[in-house]
Amino acid sequence: MHLEKLSWLDRLLPVWILLAMAFGLVLGRLVPGMQVLLGSAELGNMSLPIALGLMMMMYPVLAKVRYGELGYVARDRSLLTTSLLLVWGLGPLLMFCLAWLFLPDQAEFRTGLIMIGIAPCIAMVLIWIDLAKGDREVAALLVAINSIVQVLAYALLGNFYLKILPNFLGLDAQSINFSFSEIAKAVLIFLGIPLVAGFFTRRIGVAFKGIKWYEQRFIPRIAPWALYGLLFTIVIMFSLQGQAIISNPFQVAQVALPLLIYFVVMWGIAFFVGKNSGFSYEKTSALAFTAAGNNFELAIAVSISVWGVSSKQALAGVIGPLIEVPVLVALVYLCLLLRPNFKK
């Protein structure tokens, strides 16, 4: 397996995130009035530059999705059912448990982790599956379905895991203030609008220029803008609150550890279930990486919209890809080592 297939931008994502954090810290020192400057132009309750940066994160991702692959569902209902149970059933529940276990007295970070757990990956998961020589058609199908389900279910799951379930279990979740409508509005803006734009971009682009031009010429041109949007958001966040976090690295470690456990456990369970269900290696690897990855772009966008750019909820989302990328690269190697155990 050669990581040359991974673009140098994606391959060094943790490095870019660290550099963006450092630049944000420097910027915060040099421009102490950053909060006032960002608030001079707003979209609703959010700074317009930040809102545009978040949109820029989501649009290239959703323009990649092969929405036409949804017709593939009828051919493999058992795989689809297994994926939905893992991604939308086990995943959010596992993150909820880890968040409360590791961060019982850190309500903001705990909330940020839960927002990550209810958002399955719809971007880099395609890269991991391709590197692991998984089934691209299955990957495209699962990504398309998860994109649509996120629009419909994200706010509902957020309300359930942040309010309903903690109250039912007698846990103290009163310190987190939000409303269902706030999350729903953020999802419609930062996922719904890019989803519609991505859908019509693909339809129009393929209709006029063909699928080969669209996927080999157009997508590579716009794909880096998702990373640019993420890095821009990180710079702004750390310019506003990075110093407070750097002064207490233990808090960052508290967030990183449950994320690390989540990625490994979800991947391991999905891989085990796929193999023991009789799925091929290609389908099993697609299932495993789809279950393990998360949509940090959406979690960050919603957290900033609901709790603010300087919130710990949003910071948890930023820590996410810093941990996810090296962990899933390692799991790609493990996946390939396990490949000979499957029957041809």
Side-chain angles (χ1 to χ4, degrees):
M1 192 274 291
H2 298 288
L3 286 181
E4 285 75 10
K5 286 186 177 181
L6 199 62
S7 74
W8 64 274
L9 281 174
D10 292 327
R11 203 181 313 159
L12 298 177
L13 181 56
V15 176
W16 307 136
I17 292 174
L18 288 172
L19 290 175
M21 290 175 175
F23 183 70
L25 288 172
V26 173
L27 188 63
R29 289 288 186 89
L30 296 178
V31 187
M34 181 66 71
Q35 184 77 56
V36 176
L37 181 64
L38 290 172
S40 59
E42 292 188 345
L43 177 63
N45 296 322
M46 185 182 291
S47 165
L48 183 58
I50 295 174
L52 293 176
L54 294 173
M55 290 282 195
M56 189 164 65
M57 276 198 299
M58 297 302 298
Y59 168 70
V61 171
L62 293 162
K64 287 182 182 180
V65 176
R66 299 177 182 177
Y67 300 95
E69 300 292 345
L70 290 173
Y72 192 79
V73 176
R75 287 187 244 168
D76 211 329
R77 293 186 182 276
S78 61
L79 177 65
L80 176 61
T81 300
T82 303
S83 178
L84 290 175
L85 289 173
L86 288 169
V87 169
W88 294 103
L90 178 61
L93 182 60
L94 175 62
M95 189 67 89
F96 173 85
C97 294
L98 291 172
W100 275 97
L101 178 64
F102 285 91
L103 299 162
D105 57 347
Q106 295 283 341
E108 295 90 349
F109 279 136
R110 185 178 67 236
T111 300
L113 283 182
I114 292 173
M115 299 308 288
I116 293 170
I118 60 176
C121 187
I122 58 174
M124 290 197 73
V125 64
L126 296 172
I127 297 175
W128 308 132
I129 292 170
D130 188 47
L131 289 174
K133 303 186 185 303
D135 191 317
R136 295 180 181 180
E137 299 301 318
V138 167
L141 160 69
L142 298 178
V143 166
I145 290 175
N146 287 334
S147 301
I148 295 170
V149 173
Q150 278 184 37
V151 175
L152 302 174
Y154 192 83
L156 292 171
L157 287 172
N159 194 56
F160 177 77
Y161 281 104
L162 295 179
K163 278 189 176 179
I164 298 174
L165 186 57
N167 289 334
F168 177 77
L169 296 175
L171 300 172
D172 181 17
Q174 301 305 315
S175 57
I176 298 298
N177 296 315
F178 73 97
S179 69
F180 172 83
S181 61
E182 287 178 320
I183 296 180
K185 179 182 177 182
V187 171
L188 287 175
I189 292 174
F190 295 108
L191 182 57
I193 293 175
L195 178 65
V196 172
F199 174 79
F200 282 106
T201 298
R202 172 172 280 273
R203 290 293 295 270
I204 295 171
V206 171
F208 282 90
K209 301 288 288 186
I211 187 68
K212 184 176 181 180
W213 173 88
Y214 186 84
E215 297 202 341
Q216 297 181 10
R217 301 277 303 275
F218 179 73
I219 289 298
R221 289 178 184 174
I222 67 169
W225 286 95
L227 176 58
Y228 302 154
L230 173 63
L231 296 179
F232 171 78
T233 304
I234 292 172
V235 168
I236 297 301
M237 289 172 61
F238 268 76
S239 70
L240 296 176
Q241 66 159 7
Q243 190 59 45
I245 300 303
I246 296 299
S247 63
N248 191 358
F250 178 69
Q251 287 186 327
V252 176
Q254 280 184 294
V255 176
L257 183 56
L259 283 169
L260 174 62
I261 295 172
Y262 175 87
F263 297 138
V264 174
V265 170
M266 283 301 296
W267 187 92
I269 291 175
F271 195 90
F272 176 83
V273 169
K275 186 176 188 303
N276 284 275
S277 297
F279 299 148
S280 66
Y281 166 81
E282 290 75 17
K283 291 181 179 180
T284 297
S285 57
L287 178 70
F289 285 102
T290 302
N294 288 89
N295 185 355
F296 294 99
E297 297 90 344
L298 178 61
I300 293 170
V302 172
S303 294
I304 289 177
S305 179
V306 176
W307 292 288
V309 68
S310 59
S311 67
K312 291 181 179 180
Q313 289 91 334
L315 183 64
V318 170
I319 296 170
L322 190 63
I323 307 302
E324 182 190 50
V325 173
V327 171
L328 291 193
V329 167
L331 290 174
V332 166
Y333 281 103
L334 177 59
C335 196
L336 290 169
L337 286 175
L338 295 173
R339 190 182 185 187
N341 295 326
F342 285 77
K343 295 179 181 179
K344 297 296 184 181

